[in-house]
Amino acid sequence: MTSQSLTFDFAEWPPALTESQLEELTLAATTYALSHGLLYLPPVAPNTNLPPIPTSAIHAPISLVPSPVPRHLFNDAKALQSAYNTLYARVAMDEEFLDKVMGAVEGVGRADDFVGTLWKGWKAVRDEGIAQPLQLGLFRSDYLLHTGEGPGLSLKQVEFNTISSSFGPLSERTAAMHRHLHAFTNYYGASPYFKAKNFPPNNTVAGLAEGLAEAHKAYGISGSQILFVVQPNERNVFDQRWLEYELLERHSIRVVRQTFAELAESAVIDPTTRVLRIVSPSPSARGTSEGIEISTVYFRAGYVPTDLPTPTHYATRIALERSRAIKCPSIPLQLAGGKKVQEVLAKPGVLERFLGSESKDTLEDMRKTWMGMWALDDKDPSSTSSTIAAAADVGITANIVKEPLGTLKARQQHASLVLKPQREGGGNNVYKEDIPAFLDRLPDAEREAWIAMELIVPPEQTGSYLVRAGGGAPPPGESTKSEARVKTEVISELGIFGWALFGDGDINGEKEVGWLVRTKGKESNEGGVAAGFSVLDSVLLVD
């Protein structure tokens, strides 16, 4: 993997379009989105619920033009996904490693109650005996383009997602929307890069459904179904429904959707066989009085503490882990997606523990995608003298010098850092000038739950046209009118999807299965679409 030379001028993007052209594109894009299921449920007032039967929808937040990505960096990201699938599958199967890094006795779980409670539940399940050794991962590896190394661009990993890796189906529809806009208008010939060959195909729905279908097939019980564990008041329901439709139409597999609160009442586990069944008080034509047997549990909830607000919710999550159903993800695979694991994998020799059979070139290519990372509680004595001397140079007090070296280093370099906790879903990180004050407030006991990561530096002055339906949450400084279309400087994040089915030390199958792009205004540090920070986008390949 090598850096891409900067032959494409990112500062000239997007190409100039007239107001009438933008109006035509906006109308074509929004009507296409509404016609093709590129949708969200509309927002509701605080402290109210979505109606049980939806009566309206809005288009998802979208870009009018795709984002430029150098062709060979796009191909590099796709080529690395197989190695990443294998890496995280093997991490999830290494109990000793996860106990040390994420556990409540030795690792992050001591400082993070959410992680610690999940780990303790997993430990209890192990102590009584694992009923289902197979695990399924639906993954997404997220990258930004980076300008901070040499004269060209390189690819840098933001994070690796092991739970609720969302927006696969809607990203496929966004790519199709951009291909439609190109076919319909040729984007008015505004750029020589607007050619059909530069709009890569994206078939993420079929790929992700294939992973779920392989797990269902491995379970091997006719008539069983897949359980989607979902959040209450889920506005991003269409992204999930497209997977449900694909499973039924292509694989003849039915899906049942339940929240944790519903599962506390409906989930029944046979004490002898550990078979998981969903039992309704009023059995429908879909099930019997004995309930619906579940082959695979696909978690689209359970990745943040607010998904598990009571001990009953945690008990339900642990009960599902005890069952014979295949989990996507299992608790160990969810823990493997922690930011602390990402930081530990970057240490010398750790990658070889899991990928020793891979070529040295593959390992080197993976390492090239990583920024510098370290733990806030790092106490590495080898750097003590130089760090204290550097602290004195910038006027850091003797009191603060007593902090762990990782924390002190974060104070020194805060202008080029992001601090990350063990959380998913957006809105959790601390950036640059906010870091010193945050460190002043951070209790010593919680430092172990945080890592510091060098900031990726995307190309400057790249813009786009972003469109949100009424009720969306625009980035700071953008318009809040009903149909908000703005031209603004942006940062685009590329995600590559993959799946892996594995257990008992073996990987039964894995595949790279598609991609997404999320684009946000430059002034927004966070990147979640569901959290209101980003829009859905797609790739335009450039040289």
Side-chain angles (χ1 to χ4, degrees):
M1 179 182 293
T2 58
S3 295
Q4 169 72 40
S5 61
L6 285 171
T7 55
F8 177 84
D9 189 351
F10 283 82
E12 294 297 318
W13 198 260
L17 296 166
T18 67
E19 183 61 26
S20 63
Q21 290 169 341
L22 288 169
E23 286 294 327
E24 183 175 23
L25 284 173
T26 302
L27 177 62
T30 55
T31 52
Y32 183 96
L34 292 166
S35 302
H36 290 79
L38 181 48
L39 300 174
Y40 264 20
L41 290 181
V44 296
N47 302 316
T48 59
N49 294 324
L50 288 168
I53 299 177
T55 57
S56 63
I58 60 174
H59 68 78
I62 51 177
S63 67
L64 284 187
V65 296
S67 286
V69 178
R71 189 181 309 273
H72 95 270
L73 293 182
F74 177 71
N75 291 334
D76 284 347
K78 293 177 63 179
L80 281 176
Q81 189 61 34
S82 180
Y84 272 117
N85 293 341
T86 301
L87 171 61
Y88 278 86
R90 289 179 178 165
V91 169
M93 292 187 286
D94 194 323
E95 294 179 0
E96 179 186 7
F97 177 84
L98 284 175
D99 285 347
K100 183 175 181 180
V101 176
M102 298 295 285
V105 176
E106 297 182 71
V108 165
R110 295 180 299 185
D112 186 309
D113 289 340
F114 177 65
V115 171
T117 304
L118 288 176
W119 180 87
K120 289 173 185 175
W122 175 44
K123 181 66 165 57
V125 172
R126 284 187 282 164
D127 289 346
E128 70 182 32
I130 300 290
Q132 177 56 264
L134 283 178
Q135 306 176 49
L136 175 67
L138 297 186
F139 301 133
R140 197 185 70 225
S141 186
D142 292 335
Y143 302 92
L144 289 174
L145 300 178
H146 181 53
T147 62
E149 295 178 0
L153 283 174
S154 57
L155 193 70
K156 294 296 181 180
Q157 188 183 61
V158 178
E159 63 184 355
F160 192 89
N161 301 275
T162 64
I163 182 168
S164 190
S165 302
S166 59
F167 291 110
L170 293 194
S171 69
E172 178 176 325
R173 275 152 183 78
T174 306
M177 179 196 73
H178 284 148
R179 288 195 298 271
H180 165 75
L181 294 178
H182 175 254
F184 180 50
T185 68
N186 192 34
Y187 280 104
Y188 313 102
S191 168
Y193 286 96
F194 284 135
K195 298 177 181 178
K197 68 176 184 178
N198 293 334
F199 291 76
N202 191 8
N203 301 304
T204 307
V205 177
L208 294 175
E210 178 189 24
L212 289 164
E214 286 296 311
H216 177 85
K217 179 180 177 182
Y219 185 82
I221 301 298
S222 176
S224 61
Q225 299 183 22
I226 293 177
L227 169 65
F228 281 24
V229 183
V230 298
Q231 294 172 323
N233 291 315
E234 174 63 80
R235 293 182 57 213
N236 190 27
V237 64
F238 299 99
D239 188 58
Q240 302 166 12
R241 289 291 188 181
W242 282 116
L243 283 177
E244 180 181 336
Y245 304 151
E246 181 79 4
L247 285 166
L248 183 60
E249 294 166 10
R250 181 168 296 195
H251 302 281
S252 300
I253 300 170
R254 292 181 177 181
V255 166
V256 56
R257 296 169 58 87
Q258 297 261 289
T259 65
F260 278 112
E262 290 169 332
L263 287 166
E265 303 292 332
S266 65
V268 176
I269 299 174
D270 187 288
T272 303
T273 64
R274 306 269 195 96
V275 166
L276 171 63
R277 290 187 174 88
I278 305 301
V279 178
S280 169
S282 302
S284 68
R286 294 187 61 193
T288 67
S289 58
E290 290 77 32
I292 300 168
E293 182 167 352
I294 299 300
S295 68
T296 305
V297 183
Y298 175 41
F299 289 98
R300 291 295 293 255
Y303 53 87
V304 288
T306 51
D307 285 346
L308 304 170
T310 71
T312 299
H313 287 78
Y314 278 105
T316 302
R317 174 65 184 92
I318 304 308
L320 297 175
E321 194 72 19
R322 286 190 169 97
S323 76
R324 185 170 171 255
I326 296 169
K327 274 68 69 176
C328 177
S330 64
I331 290 178
L333 185 54
Q334 180 173 348
L335 295 175
K339 306 302 184 291
K340 180 65 177 178
V341 170
Q342 186 182 12
E343 180 256 322
V344 172
L345 287 172
K347 293 182 177 180
V350 178
L351 196 54
E352 284 77 4
R353 171 176 179 154
F354 300 104
L355 294 179
S357 59
E358 296 284 341
S359 70
K360 290 183 178 180
D361 287 346
T362 297
L363 300 188
E364 182 61 23
D365 285 346
M366 294 177 80
R367 285 194 171 101
K368 286 179 180 178
T369 67
W370 298 342
M371 300 298 289
M373 290 175 277
W374 64 87
L376 288 188
D377 66 330
D378 187 357
K379 301 177 180 67
D380 181 8
S382 65
S383 59
T384 300
S385 297
S386 61
T387 304
I388 291 176
D393 286 344
V394 295
I396 292 179
T397 68
N399 236 6
I400 293 177
V401 168
K402 294 176 183 177
E403 291 179 330
L405 272 295
T407 301
L408 185 55
K409 186 177 178 182
R411 286 186 184 276
Q412 293 173 248
Q413 301 181 21
H414 68 270
S416 59
L417 295 180
V418 54
L419 303 186
K420 295 184 175 185
Q422 313 305 305
R423 292 289 182 272
E424 303 299 332
N428 303 299
N429 299 334
V430 181
Y431 292 84
K432 298 190 287 191
E433 64 273 5
D434 294 332
I435 289 174
F438 172 79
L439 292 175
D440 290 341
R441 301 189 305 269
L442 183 66
D444 292 351
E446 296 181 17
R447 282 198 180 101
E448 190 171 7
W450 290 79
I451 71 163
M453 178 176 165
E454 295 173 354
L455 281 171
I456 303 167
V457 184
E460 291 282 343
Q461 299 180 329
T462 306
S464 190
Y465 303 98
L466 311 182
V467 179
R468 290 178 178 82
E478 290 188 8
S479 171
T480 57
K481 64 183 180 180
S482 177
E483 184 71 57
R485 184 190 72 233
V486 296
K487 179 183 179 183
T488 187
E489 190 172 349
V490 298
I491 297 172
S492 296
E493 186 171 308
L494 171 68
I496 305 296
F497 289 99
W499 64 261
L501 181 65
F502 56 94
D504 280 337
D506 294 325
I507 297 178
N508 300 48
E510 63 81 18
K511 189 179 290 186
E512 175 268 309
V513 294
W515 50 269
L516 70 74
V517 177
R518 292 169 298 170
T519 292
K520 63 184 179 181
K522 184 182 178 183
E523 299 308 312
S524 173
N525 284 318
E526 298 293 348
V529 177
F533 300 109
S534 299
V535 305
L536 293 168
D537 201 346
S538 74
V539 168
L540 183 74
L541 297 175
V542 299
D543 299 310

